[in-house]
Amino acid sequence: MQHFSEEIIQQVRAYSRQLEATGKLSPEILAYIYEHQLFKLFLPQSLNGREMALPEALGIFEEAAQIDGSFGWLVTIGCGGNFFAAYLSQEVAETLFSPENAVVAGSGAITGTAIKQEAGYNVNGQWQFCSGAHHATIFTANCKIGATEAETIRSFVLLPDQVRIIEDWKTFGMQGTGSHSIKAENAVVPVERTFDLSQSPLLFPDYLLYKYPFWQFAEVSFAVVALGVGLHFLEEAFATLEQNRQRRQDASPERYAFILKKYETAREELLQAREAFYTAVTASWQEMETQQMLSEEMKKTVSRASKKVAKIARQAAHEMFPYLGMAAATETSLLNQLFRDLHTVCQHTTLISYED
């Protein structure tokens, strides 16, 4: 891996079971993330960020997910929240996003209400799937504005002392992401801590990432997590195949050759989908550099490539799973965890295709 040392790879993987059990990153892993600004890949340098181009950052997300699915998801989601900095005032953006440990957890659901008051807005609601809730310093939530502004939708920035975390993340995979619900009751949010994603960004006009369409941004970000987990599954599947061959002296050479061929085919198909995915993303970034926007055709190309690489990753795991014995079916095995993580990532609506 290009972006992570062997030491941190082993440290994260050694903590993987505990991460699943607690849904919380260890202080040591969080310290590593802060030191290497892994939650700040998409923040401008003026906010102590790394101001990366999208294709480069996706390579980091992929590797992080290949180390551990929940770790990769948390790094990816943590960076995704950087997008919102451009929709706030300079002063508020600096206050919220400049600290070393700054990171957003939030939800795209519109499950809150806000009533305009003299001091700002009174916010109430409950929002699901706030990944990284336990280490977040910023929470974002969408609300319908009260009766005087019927049907208006606005996003709100809530601080940790304004929300209660409800530990209801009970999925069979990605258990380590701590993607719990948050609840706010009569939280007072000043106007300057609200924004509207349907409008153009207010800040950092020279940073192309903030002009990239948000839907395609989400698609490519989630797709590389599926890709990374899928590659890790195949890595572990091959290791299991080799261990079984060495352990069983009576192992059939024909059986081994059959499964090995399955593995090689699945891996080759995934690597081809990976190449097509990065080709599409790179082309989209080049179009952003020349046109400052994406054409509708390019948006479709990126979306198709994102969905396809996730689909191929999922199919690769399906193809190998029956041949990996009880190790794959045992809940406490790494193979099983990877299988569950991969399918949980691929449930995200941005990765579901309704085309063949």
Side-chain angles (χ1 to χ4, degrees):
M1 294 187 183
Q2 298 180 3
H3 300 97
F4 295 90
S5 68
E6 187 62 27
E7 180 182 1
I8 191 61
I9 292 171
Q10 295 308 317
Q11 183 179 352
V12 172
R13 287 184 172 177
Y15 187 72
S16 182
R17 276 291 162 202
Q18 192 170 344
L19 181 56
E20 263 212 320
T22 64
K24 298 178 182 180
L25 293 168
S26 71
E28 294 78 13
I29 294 173
L30 274 172
Y32 176 89
I33 289 172
Y34 299 148
E35 179 184 356
H36 293 270
Q37 297 176 294
L38 293 181
F39 287 148
K40 291 176 172 282
L41 304 189
F42 295 141
L43 281 177
Q45 294 179 18
S46 61
L47 295 181
N48 299 321
R50 293 174 64 175
E51 204 167 328
M52 277 193 175
L54 181 59
E56 182 182 3
L58 293 179
I60 294 178
F61 296 160
E62 179 191 337
E63 288 188 15
Q66 193 170 352
I67 295 171
D68 177 84
S70 291
F71 173 70
W73 181 263
L74 288 171
V75 169
T76 302
I77 290 294
C79 288
N82 297 167
F83 210 96
F84 306 138
Y87 291 83
L88 301 166
S89 70
Q90 183 74 40
E91 181 181 2
V92 172
E94 289 177 357
T95 299
L96 294 175
F97 288 91
S98 289
E100 181 186 53
N101 67 336
V103 61
V104 175
S107 169
I110 308 167
T111 51
T113 60
I115 298 174
K116 188 73 168 66
Q117 297 180 334
E118 185 176 346
Y121 290 89
N122 183 279
V123 173
N124 289 272
Q126 184 168 319
W127 299 267
Q128 289 182 297
F129 311 138
C130 300
S131 300
H134 285 299
H135 58 255
T137 61
I138 307 161
F139 292 89
T140 56
N142 295 326
C143 294
K144 292 182 179 180
I145 308 300
T148 56
E149 301 176 62
E151 300 307 311
T152 300
I153 308 300
R154 199 161 183 82
S155 300
F156 292 78
V157 176
L158 299 161
L159 302 180
D161 63 358
Q162 293 181 301
V163 304
R164 178 165 60 91
I165 296 172
I166 301 170
E167 296 192 353
D168 57 358
W169 179 241
K170 304 297 182 183
T171 54
F172 86 137
M174 284 291 176
Q175 295 172 4
T177 62
S179 301
H180 302 302
S181 294
I182 58 169
K183 185 172 185 177
E185 297 179 290
N186 297 316
V188 178
V189 181
V191 173
E192 58 268 24
R193 288 213 321 262
T194 73
F195 58 95
D196 183 352
L197 276 178
S198 69
Q199 302 299 313
S200 298
L202 302 175
L203 303 176
F204 316 116
D206 296 329
Y207 187 19
L208 280 179
L209 183 90
Y210 294 155
K211 299 178 182 179
Y212 201 88
F214 190 75
W215 184 257
Q216 280 69 35
F217 171 75
E219 287 178 319
V220 299
S221 298
F222 300 162
V224 290
V225 176
L227 171 60
V229 178
L231 288 170
H232 191 184
F233 179 89
L234 290 178
E235 170 192 316
E236 185 63 18
F238 179 74
T240 300
L241 177 61
E242 291 300 302
Q243 289 166 5
N244 288 343
R245 182 175 67 149
Q246 294 169 11
R247 186 175 67 249
R248 294 185 56 187
Q249 294 181 352
D250 62 341
S252 164
E254 293 80 10
R255 177 178 178 274
Y256 172 81
F258 177 86
I259 301 174
L260 181 62
K261 182 63 175 177
K262 289 280 187 183
Y263 160 78
E264 290 173 343
T265 300
R267 187 172 186 275
E268 181 59 28
E269 289 178 352
L270 183 53
L271 291 178
Q272 288 177 1
R274 178 185 185 275
E275 182 177 1
F277 169 78
Y278 277 108
T279 296
V281 172
T282 300
S284 75
W285 193 252
Q286 290 171 345
E287 188 171 284
M288 286 294 302
E289 291 176 326
T290 57
Q291 304 297 326
Q292 301 291 301
M293 61 179 294
L294 291 190
S295 65
E296 290 304 312
E297 186 57 37
M298 182 60 76
K299 290 178 184 178
K300 292 177 183 177
T301 298
V302 169
S303 295
R304 283 194 295 265
S306 299
K307 290 175 172 62
K308 184 173 182 179
V309 76
K311 179 180 179 180
I312 296 298
R314 187 175 63 245
Q315 288 178 342
H318 277 218
E319 191 65 28
M320 290 301 301
F321 194 86
Y323 305 104
L324 299 173
M326 289 305 295
T330 303
E331 190 178 70
T332 55
S333 74
L334 177 56
L335 271 172
N336 190 274
Q337 178 185 338
L338 292 167
F339 189 84
R340 291 184 284 106
D341 283 352
L342 178 57
H343 281 72
T344 303
V345 173
C346 290
Q347 285 296 108
H348 201 285
T349 184
T350 60
L351 300 180
I352 300 298
S353 175
Y354 297 96
E355 301 175 358
D356 291 334

